[in-house]
Amino acid sequence: MTVDIAVCDDDGKDLKSVTDILRDIFVENNDKYSLQSFQSASDMLEKVNKIDIAILDISMKGMNGIDLGRELKIRFPELRVIYMTSYEQYCMQAINKVHAFSFLCKPLEKEEVKIQLEELAKEIKQSDGNPEKVFYKVSDSSGKEYPFIKLKLYSIVFFEYIKTKRRIAIVLENAVYECTYVIEQLADELADYGFAVNCRGNLVNLRHISKIKGYDIHMDNGQILALSQKRVAEFKEKMNEFIHSHV
């Protein structure tokens, strides 16, 4: 499992310092991480599309780290946030508003960063909490057929009914499967797992939504799905409930 980490600090020197420390830790531990760095909140919000851990400086020009953390939590409800700060009085404010995992005081000490990062990465990997579901009579994109497959629910980006085949497409980040299923039945079965109907024949995983713009739902795999006008209010209500239950 690769842990996706993004760092944001508007001070170029401090940004380089923390990214250098992180890369040293990755090499020493021989762990699988991906690392992105940003020098502004707006740049991070525009470009980041997958993230497990955010390491944010609190005091930044424009949008500060606390507001950035809150915005990221809306997009990525299961995100863990670590703050960097030279001002300890910010700590309680950030805990109340964003539920940050921890704080690192500047100038950063490598061992302290390592302790926090390892503890958080361990929590992510061990508290998988990703239930599985079995699907029967499945075919993959090459046409190969399987009596059944077991998939982790939270890895599924969305389901889509294929009218011409009378089958359901199961869309993951790097794979697509097809099986026979009734979309309404599937929606009922997965309602408690963060899935919601966005339009007729579509069932999306709320944790994979990057943003909603008008009647377009932008998924974190780059695809854009339609949001039915008559479902807007109900869908956004479910999205808000999901976000609040994961903060």
Side-chain angles (χ1 to χ4, degrees), residues 64-77:
N64 63 41
I66 294 174
D67 291 337
L68 173 58
R70 190 189 307 124
E71 183 67 26
L72 289 169
K73 285 287 287 184
I74 291 173
R75 294 190 185 186
F76 309 101

Side-chain angles (χ1 to χ4, degrees), residues 16-31:
K16 184 178 186 303
S17 175
V18 67
T19 54
D20 286 347
I21 288 173
L22 290 169
R23 289 191 179 100
D24 285 346
I25 294 171
F26 302 159
V27 171
E28 289 176 6
N29 289 16
N30 194 29
D31 282 330

Side-chain angles (χ1 to χ4, degrees), residues 15-223:
L15 183 62
K16 184 178 186 303
S17 175
V18 67
T19 54
D20 286 347
I21 288 173
L22 290 169
R23 289 191 179 100
D24 285 346
I25 294 171
F26 302 159
V27 171
E28 289 176 6
N29 289 16
N30 194 29
D31 282 330
K32 293 181 179 180
Y33 292 89
S34 71
L35 178 62
Q36 302 177 75
S37 60
F38 303 93
Q39 209 164 333
S40 73
S42 59
D43 190 37
M44 184 174 186
L45 289 173
E46 179 183 349
K47 296 178 180 177
V48 73
N49 58 18
K50 187 178 181 183
I51 180 173
D52 297 306
I53 301 172
I55 303 178
L56 312 174
D57 181 44
I58 288 183
S59 181
M60 295 190 293
K61 296 177 183 178
M63 180 182 287
N64 63 41
I66 294 174
D67 291 337
L68 173 58
R70 190 189 307 124
E71 183 67 26
L72 289 169
K73 285 287 287 184
I74 291 173
R75 294 190 185 186
F76 309 101
E78 295 171 356
L79 174 70
R80 275 76 165 182
V81 181
I82 299 177
Y83 278 104
M84 302 178 289
T85 179
S86 302
Y87 308 98
E88 293 185 10
Q89 66 266 31
Y90 282 138
C91 294
M92 188 55 65
Q93 182 183 2
I95 288 173
N96 289 337
K97 290 191 175 183
V98 191
H99 291 211
F101 174 80
S102 63
F103 286 86
L104 297 169
C105 290
K106 294 182 177 182
L108 301 184
E109 297 289 337
K110 179 179 175 181
E111 285 306 310
E112 184 62 26
V113 176
K114 184 176 181 179
I115 290 171
Q116 298 290 354
L117 189 64
E118 288 179 348
E119 183 176 348
L120 191 49
K122 182 178 180 181
E123 177 186 301
I124 292 172
K125 292 175 181 179
Q126 290 188 347
S127 63
D128 190 299
N130 193 346
E132 294 179 324
K133 181 173 178 60
V134 176
F135 297 88
Y136 297 93
K137 296 182 179 179
V138 177
S139 60
D140 62 21
S141 54
S142 69
K144 184 177 180 180
E145 297 185 353
Y146 306 83
F148 68 90
I149 58 170
K150 184 183 293 185
L151 298 175
K152 291 184 178 295
L153 286 180
Y154 298 163
S155 300
I156 298 171
V157 181
F158 65 92
F159 298 90
E160 183 175 20
Y161 179 64
I162 308 170
K163 188 175 181 180
T164 56
K165 298 181 179 180
R166 296 185 179 180
R167 287 166 69 80
I168 297 291
I170 309 169
V171 181
L172 289 78
E173 184 178 357
N174 298 310
V176 178
Y177 296 97
E178 292 181 10
C179 70
T180 301
Y181 224 114
V182 177
I183 197 81
E184 290 79 9
Q185 178 185 343
L186 193 59
D188 288 341
E189 292 176 359
L190 301 184
D192 293 333
Y193 295 95
F195 287 80
V197 175
N198 55 300
C199 66
R200 185 177 178 86
N202 266 135
L203 179 66
V204 301
N205 188 338
L206 299 176
R207 59 183 44 76
H208 283 286
I209 294 176
S210 293
K211 63 180 178 180
I212 300 174
K213 189 173 182 180
Y215 297 114
D216 290 333
I217 301 174
H218 295 251
M219 308 303 293
D220 60 11
N221 69 342
Q223 291 184 258

